[in-house]
Amino acid sequence: MKRLSIILCMSLLSATLLAQIEPVTEVKQSLVTPSGFLQTGYNYSKDVSTFLLRRARLVLAGDLYKGDAGKADYKLQVELTGTPKILDLYFRYKPIDEFGIKLGQFKSPLSIENSEYNPTKLEFINYSLVVQRLARMSKQDLSGFNQNGRDLGFEFLGSAFKQDDYSLLNYELAIFNGYTLNANDNNKGKDIVGRIIVNPFKELSIAGYYQWGAGALPTYDEATQKFTAQTEDNYVQLQRYGGGVAYKAKKGFARAEYITGKTGELNSGGFYVAGGYEFIKNWTAVARLDYFDDDIDNKDYSEQDYTIGINYAPWKPVNLKLNYTLQNYKGRDNASGIYFLATIKY
């Protein structure tokens, strides 16, 4: 905690000093824009009944430069619940729309949901099964690394064929440590992640992505009845690939993704289909079907979840979500849960 406090104090002090310097650009820039959000809620299922602090995020972001030579910006995001940690810390520079670079710790471009939908934008309380299991989004990830969907590395990015307020083509190609957050890599291997997104029109995105790297060897755990990585000492080759489509209208949305791949010799994969509609002002009904198979070659380990929910946004910074999820396991007893989440943005 002491280390985090020092980091935050230094960041705020640096931001204050920088704010006194007027950058030599064509347009005055906002060097420091603070923001963040708080999330708290309640979970109820067969074995659980608890109130919880889900997330408490502090964000400092801003433009370092915008002018004839392009645009440079940065972002620092810190998670304060549990053991405080830095989630995002990166610098980005785009001399032109078609080409830019990003350096630091940031979201992996694997999947649409992971990188494009932060916890305040996601229409559901929990991320989809396939993202949690294959995109290093949670402690359930098959590779053994819970990185909140992020990694340390370097990325090339850009967009082309710009329209009035969107681009027809966006791409990202990143090289990552493929290890845990806020730590140096413990081996010489690196993960490569690439993604292309095509936007035929503003509301529609079609994506394809691929990842090559390494992860810990997953084994079947009888206690949890799931495949989990028990140790980081036994590394195996990791591959992930898939695609998705996302449609966002003024009052509704529809999104679907499929991701599959190998962790060592274990073939895994799954998909989700989700949608929602604002049936009354500020009230949105949502539904999602999740499917994931830990071992495609052995159908005894699949899971199929059905989630329905209601989202209510009484004011712009406030969002309330209520979800019911039925978990259908192959060869095991079904389970269900009721989840509530309140979000306040600042």
Side-chain angles (χ1 to χ4, degrees):
M1 188 68 185
K2 182 178 179 181
R3 181 182 178 186
L4 180 65
S5 300
I6 293 173
I7 293 172
L8 289 176
C9 289
M10 291 179 65
S11 301
L12 290 171
L13 178 60
S14 300
T16 302
L17 294 174
L18 285 171
Q20 308 305 315
I21 304 173
E22 183 161 343
V24 184
T25 63
E26 295 180 358
V27 183
K28 289 185 177 181
Q29 300 306 310
S30 175
L31 290 178
V32 182
T33 303
S35 63
F37 62 91
L38 306 173
Q39 288 187 324
T40 184
Y42 174 75
N43 289 355
Y44 177 82
S45 61
K46 181 180 178 180
D47 301 317
V48 176
S49 175
T50 182
F51 293 97
L52 70 158
L53 295 174
R54 190 71 178 266
R55 299 177 180 95
R57 302 274 177 90
L58 171 65
V59 179
L60 296 176
D63 293 329
L64 299 172
Y65 172 86
K66 182 185 285 186
D68 291 338
K71 178 182 178 181
D73 60 0
Y74 73 94
K75 180 179 180 180
L76 167 65
Q77 180 173 199
V78 179
E79 173 62 68
L80 299 176
T81 58
T83 302
K85 58 187 174 183
I86 295 175
L87 292 180
D88 296 295
L89 177 55
Y90 66 79
F91 298 91
R92 177 173 51 191
Y93 174 57
K94 293 186 70 174
I96 56 176
D97 290 336
E98 291 78 9
F99 178 79
I101 56 174
K102 185 190 288 188
L103 174 65
Q105 184 167 281
F106 47 88
K107 281 288 190 79
S108 167
L110 185 73
S111 91
I112 299 174
E113 186 177 82
N114 175 47
S115 61
E116 304 303 313
Y117 289 81
N118 65 41
T120 64
K121 188 178 178 181
L122 186 69
E123 306 89 352
F124 301 87
I125 294 176
N126 296 314
Y127 283 84
S128 62
L129 283 177
V130 69
V131 169
Q132 291 191 58
R133 299 288 275 165
L134 293 182
R136 292 178 171 168
M137 168 58 70
S138 76
K139 62 183 179 181
Q140 299 182 46
D141 191 88
L142 285 177
S143 71
F145 296 116
N146 175 15
Q147 300 172 206
N148 292 95
R150 294 164 168 84
D151 210 335
L152 268 163
F154 181 84
E155 181 180 76
F156 297 104
L157 71 159
S159 56
F161 310 112
K162 189 171 180 60
Q163 308 301 299
D164 291 336
D165 53 357
Y166 73 100
S167 297
L168 294 177
L169 177 68
N170 299 274
Y171 73 89
E172 294 172 76
L173 179 62
I175 177 170
F176 291 121
N177 278 344
Y179 190 48
T180 189
L181 293 182
N182 306 319
N184 296 336
D185 203 350
N186 68 341
N187 61 78
K188 292 184 178 180
K190 293 292 177 283
D191 282 21
I192 306 296
V193 185
R195 182 178 68 180
I196 293 177
I197 297 181
V198 177
N199 300 292
F201 48 93
K202 182 180 178 181
E203 294 80 8
L204 179 65
S205 298
I206 303 171
Y209 30 81
Y210 176 79
Q211 178 180 2
W212 179 92
L217 178 66
T219 57
Y220 186 71
D221 186 347
E222 292 289 349
T224 61
Q225 296 186 310
K226 289 184 178 181
F227 281 89
T228 55
Q230 301 296 332
T231 175
E232 298 177 7
D233 298 328
N234 192 357
Y235 282 93
V236 293
Q237 185 174 321
L238 176 151
Q239 287 181 295
R240 306 280 186 261
Y241 55 91
V245 57
Y247 176 78
K248 179 65 177 177
K250 184 176 181 180
K251 287 185 172 292
F253 75 93
R255 191 167 65 254
E257 290 192 85
Y258 171 78
I259 309 175
T260 187
K262 296 182 69 174
T263 310
E265 296 302 316
L266 181 67
N267 286 294
S268 308
F271 66 89
Y272 72 86
V273 179
Y277 184 75
E278 185 181 5
F279 60 96
I280 301 176
K281 185 178 181 180
N282 301 330
W283 290 85
T284 302
V286 298
R288 183 177 68 197
L289 166 64
D290 274 313
Y291 176 84
F292 188 77
D293 195 340
D294 289 275
D295 188 353
I296 293 176
D297 300 322
N298 186 344
K299 297 297 183 182
D300 291 339
Y301 304 107
S302 63
E303 178 180 350
Q304 193 163 299
D305 290 359
Y306 306 89
T307 299
I308 57 173
I310 293 288
N311 298 342
Y312 176 51
W315 308 288
K316 189 174 182 179
V318 177
N319 186 280
L320 308 176
K321 295 185 177 76
L322 181 65
N323 286 182
Y324 169 77
T325 298
L326 172 64
Q327 298 167 297
N328 188 346
Y329 299 103
K330 179 72 176 292
R332 291 176 284 161
D333 293 337
N334 295 344
S336 62
I338 299 173
Y339 310 94
F340 172 76
L341 187 68
T343 300
I344 300 176
K345 296 184 289 185
Y346 56 89

